[in-house]
Amino acid sequence: GDGGFWHNGLTSSIGNAVFNKSDSVTIIVDNYYSAATGGQDILSSRADNRSEETQNSIAGAVKGVGVKWVR
């Protein structure tokens, strides 16, 4: 999901796949918050948060590390 993606998945999974030129499909479920530890906002949360940066695009993040095909 999106919580795990922002926690470590962008670098350890997506970045690793790009680096190794992997031909795979990765699905990221985006529910806009992390429920594992109580429902905190995460980078892609839709909330307006004065103290944290929210509303960041998962698609933009994976494109930023070099993914070419994003749907």
Side-chain angles (χ1 to χ4, degrees):
D2 50 349
F5 168 80
W6 290 117
H7 174 70
N8 196 25
L10 179 60
T11 54
S12 67
S13 181
I14 306 301
N16 187 45
V18 170
F19 179 79
N20 289 300
K21 298 181 180 172
S22 176
D23 183 19
S24 61
V25 174
T26 302
I27 298 171
I28 302 164
V29 177
D30 189 2
N31 64 0
Y32 313 116
Y33 73 98
S34 179
T37 55
Q40 293 86 356
D41 289 332
I42 55 175
L43 284 118
S44 57
S45 295
R46 302 272 186 198
D48 289 320
N49 191 318
R50 293 180 187 188
S51 64
E52 297 175 340
E53 184 65 32
T54 57
Q55 302 182 28
N56 292 282
S57 164
I58 289 174
V62 297
K63 288 177 183 177
V65 297
V67 174
K68 305 273 189 261
W69 187 79
V70 177
R71 303 291 179 271

